[in-house]
C-alpha cells in the first residue's frame, strides 16, 4: 500500500512535537535535579539529556518518528572538579535547571495557545 | 518515569544533606568527649554518599528487569564510618583519663573543618531546595495545561 499514512491522532505534527519536547525537557529536569542531589557523591559524573538533537533527528524522519521518539540520559564525563572524583559543577547545573524550566514554560505556553485555537475551532470557547 | 521523580530526587538530596548536618553537629558536640559506649575517645564520623540505583523501588526493579536502567534515582547514604586519622595527644597529667606518661587521647575532631563541612552541607541543601522550587513551578504550569 502506498500513499501517506493517516494521522495517528487528532493532534497535528507541530502539537505532537511540542508535547514530545515537553516530555524531553521534563526528563532533563529530572536528570539535572539528580546531578544537584549527587553534588557530594564521590566519583559521581553528571548526566544530561540532549532532547533537542533527538527531536530534530526525528523531525527529519517524519511524523511517525516524532510519535515514537524516546529520550535517554547520557553521562557527560566532564572529569573531576573535586578531589573525590565528583564531576558536578553545582552552579552550572543550577543554571541549566533554571534555563530548562523556562524552556518548559515557554513550550507549554505555545502548546496551550494552540490548544485554545483548536478549542475555538471546535466551538468550545463560548 | 513519573511526574514526581524530580521532586523525589531533590527530596533524597535534602535527606542526605540533613543527615550530613546531623553528623557534623554530633562531631562538634563531641569534640572533647574522651569516653564513648564502645570505649576510648570519640572518633570523628564521616558520611559516605552514593548515587541511588533505584533498585529499592518497584518502578526501579521493573525498569531494571525490562533491560532499562540508567534512570536517575537520587542520592542515598551508603555508610557513616569513623575517621581513622590518629587521635590527638594532649599533655594533661591532672586529667583522670591521662595515661602513665600524662597524655590524654582526644577526639580527632577539628572544629574548623566541621564548621566548613556544616556550611558545605547547608549550601548543598539550599541547592536542592532551589531545584525543588524550579520543578514545582514547572509542574504547576504543566497542570494548567489540563
Amino acid at each position: 500500500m502506498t500513499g501517506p499514512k493517516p494521522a495517528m491522532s487528532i493532534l497535528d505534527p507541530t502539537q505532537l512535537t511540542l508535547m514530545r519536547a515537553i516530555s524531553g525537557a521534563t526528563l532533563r529536569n529530572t536528570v539535572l535535579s539528580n546531578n544537584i542531589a549527587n553534588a557530594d557523591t564521590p566519583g559521581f559524573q553528571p548526566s544530561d539529556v540532549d532532547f533537542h538533537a533527538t527531536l530534530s533527528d526525528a523531525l527529519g524522519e517524519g511524523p511517525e518518528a516524532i510519535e515514537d521518539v524516546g529520550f535517554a540520559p547520557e553521562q557527560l564525563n566532564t572529569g573531576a572538579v573535586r578531589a573525590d572524583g565528583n564531576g558536578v559543577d553545582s552552579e552550572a547545573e543550577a543554571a541549566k535547571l533554571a534555563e530548562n524550566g523556562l524552556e518548559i514554560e515557554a513550550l507549554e505556553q505555545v502548546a496551550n495557545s494552540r490548544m485554545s485555537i483548536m478549542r475555538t475551532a471546535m466551538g468550545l470557547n463560548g | 518515569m513519573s511526574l514526581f521523580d524530580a521532586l523525589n530526587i531533590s527530596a533524597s538530596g535534602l535527606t542526605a544533606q540533613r543527615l550530613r548536618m546531623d553528623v557534623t553537629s554530633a562531631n562538634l558536640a563531641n569534640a572533647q568527649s574522651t569516653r564513648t559506649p564502645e570505649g576510648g575517645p570519640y572518633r570523628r564520623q564521616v558520611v559516605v554518599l552514593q548515587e541511588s540505583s533505584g533498585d529499592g523501588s518497584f518502578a526501579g526493579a521493573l525498569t531494571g528487569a525490562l533491560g532499562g536502567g540508567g534512570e536517575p534515582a537520587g542520592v542515598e547514604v551508603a555508610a557513616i564510618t569513623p575517621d581513622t586519622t590518629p587521635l590527638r595527644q594532649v599533655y594533661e597529667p591532672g586529667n583522670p583519663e591521662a595515661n602513665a606518661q600524662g597524655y590524654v587521647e582526644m577526639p580527632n575532631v577539628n572544629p574548623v573543618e566541621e564548621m566548613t563541612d556544616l556550611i558545605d552541607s547547608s549550601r548543598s541543601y539550599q541547592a536542592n531546595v532551589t531545584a525543588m522550587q524550579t520543578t514545582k513551578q514547572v509542574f504547576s504550569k504543566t497542570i494548567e495545561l489540563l
Side-chain angles (χ1 to χ4, degrees), chain A residues 2 6-7 12-13 17 25 32-33 38 41 43 45-46 53 55 58 61-62 74 84 87 95 110 115 124:
Chain A
T2 52
D12 61 309
T17 310
L32 295 177
S33 299
N38 281 290
T41 305
Q45 287 294 315
L55 256 188
E61 290 171 36
E74 274 171 69
D84 63 5
V110 178
M115 289 280 229
L124 297 176

Side-chain angles (χ1 to χ4, degrees), chain B residues 72-122:
Chain B
V75 64
E76 63 191 14
V77 175
I80 302 174
T81 52
D83 186 337
T84 52
T85 52
L87 298 162
R88 271 186 305 136
Q89 305 284 334
V90 179
Y91 186 64
E92 244 180 74
N95 194 307
E97 298 283 327
N99 60 14
Q101 286 77 41
Y103 282 94
V104 184
E105 280 197 315
M106 297 297 265
N108 53 353
V109 174
N110 178 358
V112 178
E113 209 176 300
E114 298 308 319
M115 287 314 291
T116 51
D117 271 0
L118 201 60
I119 295 167
D120 183 46
S121 39
S122 112

Side-chain angles (χ1 to χ4, degrees), chain A residues 27 29 34 38 40 42 44 108, chain B residues 17 20 74 124 135 141-142:
Chain A
L27 176 65
N29 182 84
N34 191 52
N38 281 290
D40 288 309
F44 177 85
E108 284 173 349
Chain B
Q17 298 302 335
R20 274 184 75 207
S124 298
T135 306
K141 288 274 179 190
T142 308

Side-chain angles (χ1 to χ4, degrees), chain B:
Chain B
M1 197 201 76
S2 82
L3 190 64
F4 299 108
D5 272 3
L7 286 177
N8 290 335
I9 286 168
S10 293
S12 78
L14 294 181
T15 310
Q17 298 302 335
R18 171 75 74 134
L19 187 96
R20 274 184 75 207
M21 277 190 253
D22 289 349
V23 170
T24 309
S25 305
N27 286 343
L28 267 177
N30 284 296
Q32 309 292 328
S33 304
T34 49
R35 286 184 196 179
T36 54
E38 301 83 45
Y42 179 83
R43 275 190 180 273
R44 175 173 180 258
Q45 302 290 309
V46 189
V47 176
V48 183
L49 300 180
Q50 71 179 25
E51 192 188 5
S52 184
S53 60
D55 287 343
S57 72
F58 173 72
L62 188 64
T63 324
L66 291 172
E71 283 278 315
V75 64
E76 63 191 14
V77 175
I80 302 174
T81 52
D83 186 337
T84 52
T85 52
L87 298 162
R88 271 186 305 136
Q89 305 284 334
V90 179
Y91 186 64
E92 244 180 74
N95 194 307
E97 298 283 327
N99 60 14
Q101 286 77 41
Y103 282 94
V104 184
E105 280 197 315
M106 297 297 265
N108 53 353
V109 174
N110 178 358
V112 178
E113 209 176 300
E114 298 308 319
M115 287 314 291
T116 51
D117 271 0
L118 201 60
I119 295 167
D120 183 46
S121 39
S122 112
R123 289 287 180 242
S124 298
Y125 189 93
Q126 286 171 10
N128 279 295
V129 171
T130 310
M132 216 172 197
Q133 274 167 346
T134 308
T135 306
K136 201 182 75 179
Q137 198 184 334
V138 165
F139 284 174
S140 58
K141 288 274 179 190
T142 308
I143 290 164
E144 279 175 29
L145 265 183
L146 299 174

Side-chain angles (χ1 to χ4, degrees), chain A:
Chain A
M1 203 170 79
T2 52
K5 263 174 72 178
M8 293 299 288
S9 74
I10 63 158
L11 300 175
D12 61 309
T14 309
Q15 194 72 12
L16 200 62
T17 310
L18 281 168
M19 293 307 181
R20 292 294 180 270
I22 291 171
S23 71
T26 308
L27 176 65
R28 185 165 189 236
N29 182 84
T30 308
V31 170
L32 295 177
S33 299
N34 191 52
N35 291 344
I36 291 177
N38 281 290
D40 288 309
T41 305
F44 177 85
Q45 287 294 315
S47 300
D48 203 345
V49 184
D50 195 356
F51 71 94
H52 292 112
T54 315
L55 256 188
S56 92
D57 286 351
L59 272 171
E61 290 171 36
E64 290 84 20
I66 301 168
E67 188 137 9
D68 299 335
V69 77
F71 306 100
E74 274 171 69
Q75 202 171 63
L76 292 179
N77 294 319
T78 49
V81 297
R82 290 196 339 189
D84 63 5
N86 187 292
V88 178
D89 179 350
S90 297
E91 288 82 9
E93 296 301 326
K96 280 197 267 183
L97 189 66
E99 180 212 317
N100 191 57
L102 288 174
E103 188 166 356
I104 299 179
E105 284 182 30
L107 287 167
E108 284 173 349
Q109 215 148 47
V110 178
N112 219 354
S113 308
R114 289 178 57 88
M115 289 280 229
S116 123
I117 291 171
M118 206 160 356
R119 270 197 292 270
T120 307
M122 292 163 130
L124 297 176
N125 270 3

